[in-house]
Amino acid sequence: MYHHAFSLKFHSFSPHYALSLSNFSTQSPNPLLPNFPPFARVPNVSSSLCLRCRSSAADVSPVRYADGSSSIGSLGETGGIVVAEKPIDVATLGNLCVDIVLSVHELPPPSREERKALMDELSLSPPDKKYWEAGGNCNMAIAAARLGLHCIAIGHVGDEIYGEFLLDVLHEEGIGTVALDEGTNAKDTSSFCETLICWVLVDPLQRHGFCSRADFKEEPAFSWITNLSDEVKMAIRQSKVLFCNGYDFDDFSPSFIMSTIDYASKVGTAIFFDPGPRGKSLSKGTPDERRALAHFLRMSDVLLLTSEEAEALTGIRNPVKAGQEILRNGKGTKWVIVKMGAKGSILVTKSSVSVAPAFKVEVVDTVGCGDSFVAAIALGYIRNMPLVNTLTIANAVGAATAMGCGAGRNVAKRHQVVDLMKASKLNDEEKFFEQLLAENSESPRINLLSKGMIKDGSNKQQIETISMEKVVSELLAELELGRCCVKASS
């Protein structure tokens, strides 16, 4: 669950969500994950919850692997990085937080001052840990790790009980962590150092609202982070994918974000970007925010958008045409993925359009579905899966998360994804896809996941219908292969 809310919002909420947080099962650490050091921890020198941040990069050891090596790349003749191998699959940038779900008699008042007073009161004493959960980019990292990918989380976590909890959750899921703030001059006040907390408050009608200190700051939470340390650069260049989302703008300055994606591009790390709900406000934000957003849209290898976000960015309602327009304007964009909820998803490249209907499930809670979806997209991208296969497993992982309550350790587990794919129950969106394809008569080849709903040759396009049975068979073998590789290395 994202940790920022710029205005109080109310949503329908599962009545079991807060109670479910006390029952978790975690996986063993991923044995294939290189030995990234944990965030350095400062001795407890006071009784306050927040301690001072590290002030020297010497507090964290360099990244080292099982064979004792510390680098897989070298500088080329022109100064660029020549990477021999990238052992990390996915690195997430920033957006690390702890969600705390509490039942309240009434939701926070609309007044900014009253809401801040309530948040300050809640922060005085930590609630029981059964109400805590990892949030933000932890959702994507956990979902990816459960699919067999080797993941690291790059960001800032405070050296207090919330930070300890967050790191423990990530490490128990086999996810490495790399401190983003090494070598920086953090301001010596707790508000700049502490772990970000999102208070998720649930009223008797099961409505919920979000409240965090980000609501009351004019500048990014960690605006004092201005440079990439050597450790972070090493982590980025050794990762196949760097995942970023719109909430990174609430952590870091636009200039820092732009320099980070420029570095990732330079060292050959694919950039995944999902603007999320922040995309709309960023497109109307400060000149620096708009510039950084445009830079993301131009430089990202993979863009993930809802149909509404794609329309807002292009002014084009048709999701296929909107994706094609974004591709034309991108410098190195390879995929534009449009998420369409219960209808399914679309993946647009310069040479093809792939379509996969969504799985039919009973939705309990949509929190974390988008994060889970992108984790599976990364799996397909990294393993060079057929495009329809990539969309299908992403739809399955997102749907499996929607069947549970909340995110964090409640995102989809491998066996849930397998069960959904074996059942192969898809939503019937025949008329929708017929109309969509008819509106794109000049589109390149179309790949369609089919349960017999559209006949080949229904128009002049080259439509390749791909059977659900074939896709599921290939995906189950892929998942089993990933699981066997993990077991073999342990």
Side-chain angles (χ1 to χ4, degrees):
M1 183 179 298
Y2 294 125
H3 59 270
H4 299 96
F6 288 84
S7 61
L8 186 63
K9 298 181 180 179
F10 304 100
H11 306 271
S12 60
F13 194 79
S14 167
H16 306 296
Y17 181 69
L19 297 178
S20 71
L21 295 181
S22 60
N23 299 311
F24 298 116
S25 61
T26 56
Q27 295 182 342
S28 300
N30 192 329
L32 293 181
L33 188 69
N35 186 27
F36 277 83
F39 285 67
R41 295 171 181 178
V42 179
N44 191 346
V45 295
S46 74
S47 60
S48 64
L49 294 182
C50 184
L51 306 177
R52 292 173 299 182
C53 295
R54 298 173 302 278
S55 60
S56 169
D59 291 330
V60 173
S61 302
V63 178
R64 290 196 174 274
Y65 298 95
D67 62 1
S69 64
S70 60
S71 178
I72 58 170
S74 60
L75 287 174
E77 293 181 0
T78 61
I81 302 296
V82 179
V83 181
E85 184 184 357
K86 287 181 177 284
I88 303 299
D89 290 316
V90 176
T92 63
L93 178 67
N95 191 217
L96 301 178
C97 73
V98 174
D99 291 338
I100 300 179
V101 184
L102 297 176
S103 296
V104 293
H105 294 300
E106 59 183 0
L107 291 174
S111 164
R112 177 185 175 96
E113 291 74 19
E114 289 179 299
R115 284 191 293 119
K116 187 175 187 307
L118 174 61
M119 187 187 69
D120 292 341
E121 182 180 352
L122 291 170
S123 303
L124 290 177
S125 59
D128 193 296
K129 282 191 176 181
K130 66 182 180 181
Y131 302 121
W132 302 15
E133 190 48 81
N137 273 343
C138 299
N139 300 334
M140 189 274 188
I142 292 172
R146 291 178 177 180
L147 291 172
L149 294 179
H150 312 148
C151 304
I152 58 171
I154 301 172
H156 172 76
V157 173
D159 207 352
E160 13 74 351
I161 57 173
Y162 295 120
E164 294 283 338
F165 167 82
L166 197 59
L167 296 179
D168 286 344
V169 168
L170 292 173
H171 294 162
E172 287 169 3
E173 292 283 345
I175 299 164
T177 50
V178 180
L180 188 57
D181 49 326
E182 289 310 309
T184 64
N185 295 318
K187 297 182 181 181
D188 190 23
T189 63
S190 63
S191 63
F192 289 92
C193 302
E194 61 190 14
T195 303
L196 286 171
I197 305 298
C198 178
W199 299 92
V200 184
L201 307 177
V202 189
D203 74 1
L205 297 177
Q206 304 308 323
R207 298 175 301 173
H208 68 289
F210 306 112
C211 190
S212 82
R213 77 170 188 269
D215 303 349
F216 310 101
K217 289 178 64 66
E218 299 300 328
E219 61 181 7
F222 308 129
S223 57
W224 43 268
I225 298 177
T226 56
N227 299 304
L228 292 175
S229 69
D230 291 341
E231 289 82 5
V232 173
K233 286 182 177 180
M234 183 182 296
I236 292 175
R237 72 170 180 260
Q238 294 180 350
S239 299
K240 298 179 181 73
V241 167
L242 177 67
F243 174 66
C244 311
N245 64 28
Y247 289 97
D248 284 336
F249 285 83
D250 299 325
D251 282 4
F252 316 117
S253 69
S255 60
F256 174 80
I257 292 172
M258 290 177 67
S259 65
T260 301
I261 61 175
D262 283 345
Y263 181 79
S265 178
K266 174 184 176 182
V267 299
T269 296
I271 301 162
F272 279 42
F273 180 56
D274 185 344
R278 282 290 275 119
K280 184 176 181 180
S281 60
L282 290 172
S283 65
K284 300 178 180 178
T286 67
D288 286 344
E289 288 176 335
R290 295 198 302 270
R291 190 178 305 112
L293 177 62
H295 198 57
F296 255 130
L297 298 175
R298 184 170 59 252
M299 298 296 293
S300 295
D301 296 83
V302 177
L303 286 168
L304 299 108
L305 309 163
T306 65
S307 54
E308 293 81 7
E309 291 162 358
E311 180 179 355
L313 287 171
T314 62
I316 301 172
R317 186 169 187 178
N318 184 285
V320 174
K321 292 180 179 179
Q324 291 169 336
E325 177 67 16
I326 292 170
L327 278 173
R328 280 191 287 269
N329 294 326
K331 178 179 179 181
T333 309
K334 301 176 179 65
W335 294 0
V336 175
I337 296 168
V338 183
K339 300 172 287 183
M340 308 190 71
K343 289 183 172 62
S345 54
I346 299 169
L347 195 163
V348 183
T349 73
K350 292 181 179 179
S351 61
S352 69
V353 176
S354 300
V355 181
F359 285 82
K360 184 180 294 184
V361 298
E362 184 177 346
V363 176
V364 175
D365 189 352
T366 59
V367 171
C369 293
D371 301 319
S372 303
F373 179 94
V374 72
I377 293 294
L379 177 75
Y381 184 92
I382 290 167
R383 295 189 181 174
N384 197 28
M385 291 182 185
L387 301 184
V388 164
N389 292 30
T390 297
L391 285 181
T392 302
I393 192 170
N395 287 346
V397 175
T401 295
M403 294 169 64
C405 298
R409 291 167 292 181
N410 295 313
V411 299
K413 297 180 176 64
R414 182 194 295 261
H415 72 86
Q416 296 171 319
V417 176
V418 169
D419 290 346
L420 268 182
M421 290 194 296
K422 286 181 176 179
S424 299
K425 295 180 179 179
L426 301 179
N427 284 335
D428 187 359
E429 295 292 345
E430 178 179 353
K431 292 184 179 180
F432 170 77
F433 284 118
E434 283 181 343
Q435 180 180 359
L436 180 68
L437 298 177
E439 291 176 356
N440 291 275
S441 58
E442 298 180 0
S443 295
R445 186 182 74 253
I446 293 176
N447 306 309
L448 177 65
L449 179 67
S450 174
K451 57 177 184 178
M453 63 181 181
I454 297 180
K455 296 179 180 179
D456 195 2
S458 58
N459 53 40
K460 297 180 181 180
Q461 298 159 287
Q462 294 181 340
I463 301 178
E464 180 181 357
T465 56
I466 304 170
S467 74
M468 184 69 182
E469 182 179 0
K470 175 179 182 293
V471 171
V472 168
S473 175
E474 293 172 351
L475 287 174
L476 291 178
E478 188 76 42
L479 287 174
E480 185 62 30
L481 175 63
R483 182 168 63 179
C484 290
C485 289
V486 171
K487 287 183 176 180
S489 66
S490 58

